Amino acid sequence: MPRASTTTDVFNAIAEPRRRQIINALAGGRAHAVGELVTRLRVSQPAMSKHLGVLRKVGIVSVSRHGRRRLYRLNAGELKPHQLNRIKQQAERKASERPADEGRPAKDTPKT
Amino acid sequence: MPRASTTTDVFNAIAEPRRRQIINALAGGRAHAVGELVTRLRVSQPAMSKHLGVLRKVGIVSVSRHGRRRLYRLNAGELKPHQLNRIKQQAERKASERPADEGRPAKDTPKT
DNA sequence: TTGACATATTCCCATATAGGAATATAATAT
DNA sequence: ATATTATATTCCTATATGGGAATATGTCAA
């Protein structure tokens, strides 16, 4: 069985690198139209729409209509980009500290 | 192209529900042998090994060998389960607040 | 040595998914 | 009305992935 549905799960939503890019692009707090994001991130328009759809469904962003545009904004207070960066960087640091981490053998077999 | 490699990316590592279960099971700080986790979480041994492998590669857990067992423990200070829960709950709350969020139409088209 | 136990790895398959192309929907302008 | 702009959706495909079964590796005991 592959991963849990991307549309139901925040973690799956932010597992996609492009979506994290989008989150970063929205980090300023300003609302952005789909077209702006398409240009800034060099993603095709359909792809962008799909990613934004996923982010919206899990509650990371919200939309508002303004004329023919749809403005997406990060949901303030939730899932700040810097939190994501922290998580990533912390784990990556750990991973590189212990290159292929195996631990050494031991005679001390814990009870159980 | 599907998602980014699960073995390179912390976010993909925690995107898998079973792996979050494992993280929770390790939350106490104690080290657990693979077999214990297999029993507790009712996951097959190979599956467990694979998940632990992923978690290890991205730096979320570390292993130490004790006799024929391998003891896995959460990397203290990194990626605490409660952080994951917070992220998830916050986003889920937001998502349910705005059931199918669309925003209302407007005449006010912001300057590009 | 052989055997039992603990964990990792390989092979295979079903399935979800990201992306592209084309199309649909919506809103404004003329 | 038609045209144009902006975004969403549908269809398709290639690919990564999680899980099971079987096997390999490793470790200890006799």
Side-chain angles (χ1 to χ4, degrees):
Chain A
M1 207 188 311
R3 247 167 259 185
S5 171
T6 209
T7 59
T8 316
D9 193 316
V10 208
F11 297 108
N12 280 281
I14 64 177
E16 167 59 42
R18 283 265 167 65
R19 286 196 285 262
R20 291 201 300 277
Q21 276 186 28
I22 297 175
I23 291 175
N24 275 316
L26 295 177
R30 253 192 69 217
H32 289 265
V34 178
E36 296 180 61
L37 295 169
V38 164
T39 304
R40 279 188 53 174
L41 302 186
R42 313 260 175 85
V43 177
S44 79
Q45 179 268 312
M48 181 58 75
S49 270
K50 288 170 198 166
H51 284 310
L52 289 170
V54 171
L55 292 174
R56 182 166 57 71
K57 272 187 199 130
V58 302
I60 294 177
V61 302
S62 39
V63 220
S64 57
R65 300 181 174 204
H66 287 261
R68 25 188 160 180
R69 317 236 166 114
R70 305 215 183 182
L71 302 183
Y72 284 80
R73 65 167 63 246
L74 213 50
N75 275 335
E78 325 296 325
L79 209 44
K80 299 278 181 54
H82 76 86
Q83 297 177 343
L84 299 186
N85 290 333
R86 260 191 69 236
I87 289 178
K88 179 162 197 175
Q89 285 164 5
Q90 285 179 336
E92 278 172 352
R93 178 165 50 73
K94 272 287 175 187
S96 63
E97 276 172 12
R98 253 171 298 72
D101 185 277
E102 275 303 300
R104 64 287 154 207
K107 26 189 63 177
D108 166 28
T109 306
K111 63 216 167 262
T112 294
Chain B
M1 207 186 312
R3 249 168 257 186
S5 170
T6 208
T7 60
T8 317
D9 194 316
V10 208
F11 297 108
N12 279 281
I14 63 178
E16 168 59 44
R18 283 267 168 65
R19 287 197 285 262
R20 292 202 299 277
Q21 276 186 28
I22 297 175
I23 291 176
N24 275 318
L26 294 177
R30 253 192 69 218
H32 289 266
V34 178
E36 297 180 61
L37 295 170
V38 164
T39 304
R40 279 188 53 174
L41 303 186
R42 313 259 174 84
V43 177
S44 79
Q45 179 269 312
M48 182 57 75
S49 270
K50 289 171 199 166
H51 284 311
L52 289 170
V54 171
L55 292 174
R56 184 166 56 71
K57 274 189 198 126
V58 302
I60 293 176
V61 303
S62 39
V63 220
S64 57
R65 301 181 173 203
H66 286 259
R68 23 189 162 179
R69 319 235 165 115
R70 305 212 182 186
L71 302 184
Y72 284 80
R73 67 166 63 245
L74 213 50
N75 275 333
E78 325 296 326
L79 208 44
K80 299 279 179 54
H82 76 87
Q83 296 177 345
L84 298 187
N85 290 334
R86 260 191 70 237
I87 289 177
K88 180 162 195 172
Q89 285 164 5
Q90 286 181 336
E92 278 170 352
R93 178 166 50 74
K94 270 288 175 183
S96 64
E97 275 172 11
R98 251 172 299 74
D101 184 278
E102 276 303 300
R104 65 285 154 207
K107 27 188 64 175
D108 166 29
T109 304
K111 69 241 167 233
T112 299

